[in-house]
Amino acid sequence: MRVDYETLSQTVAALTEGEDDPIALMATIACEVHHADDRFDWTGFYRVVAPELMKIGPYQGGHGCLVIPFARGVCGAAARTGEIQIVPDVDAFPGHIACASSTRSELVLPVFDDSGAVTAVFDLDSDQSNAFDQTDADALDMILKATFTK
């Protein structure tokens, strides 16, 4: 099953309308995105909880890493740079953190607040190599911006 981003966007918007609690929003997005596409093996958020440090937030899939510093891994790179990370082969990414041995590729999107500060990252892992592309990144970025910034 391949995600229909237009339908996913409408579903997330309807489910989160009027909600401003970030954890509730993250939980809803993680669930809806995870179940929208067979490529998505692990789907969740890492929340910025201290300078240069993230802890796991709402997610779907197997266990994730509990703590990720900005200096390590794909999630850290997204938080540190504020840029979307599309990684077709995690084994080729310097400093990749293997939270799950089944992960072959990864897409990580920074989540910003209204002031432009990174408050979290949205991490999608796949057990397939080269699972994500710019279409995925653009569509998910639009969903995150529509949900978290007003």
Side-chain angles (χ1 to χ4, degrees), residues 60-137:
Q60 299 277 310
H63 293 286
C65 293
L66 297 181
V67 178
I68 297 180
F70 279 28
R72 294 198 52 222
V74 182
C75 290
R80 186 173 62 253
T81 65
E83 296 174 358
I84 294 170
Q85 305 290 311
I86 302 172
V87 180
D89 177 2
V90 296
D91 292 331
F93 189 90
H96 175 255
I97 302 170
C99 295
S101 61
S102 61
T103 301
R104 302 275 60 88
S105 60
E106 197 165 350
L107 170 62
V108 183
L109 302 99
V111 178
F112 301 95
D113 65 13
D114 289 332
S115 73
V118 174
T119 58
V121 297
F122 185 43
D123 181 19
L124 294 92
D125 295 354
S126 180
D127 56 7
Q128 304 169 30
S129 295
N130 202 26
F132 306 107
D133 60 24
Q134 195 62 48
T135 300
D136 298 308

Side-chain angles (χ1 to χ4, degrees), residues 21-27 42 44-59 65-70 75 79 108-109 111 118-123 148:
D21 180 81
I23 301 299
L25 295 171
M26 289 178 191
W42 192 95
F45 289 87
Y46 285 95
R47 304 167 298 113
V48 177
V49 297
E52 307 290 313
L53 186 70
M54 295 179 289
K55 289 194 176 184
I56 198 164
Y59 69 91
C65 293
L66 297 181
V67 178
I68 297 180
F70 279 28
C75 290
V108 183
L109 302 99
V111 178
V118 174
T119 58
V121 297
F122 185 43
D123 181 19
F148 290 104

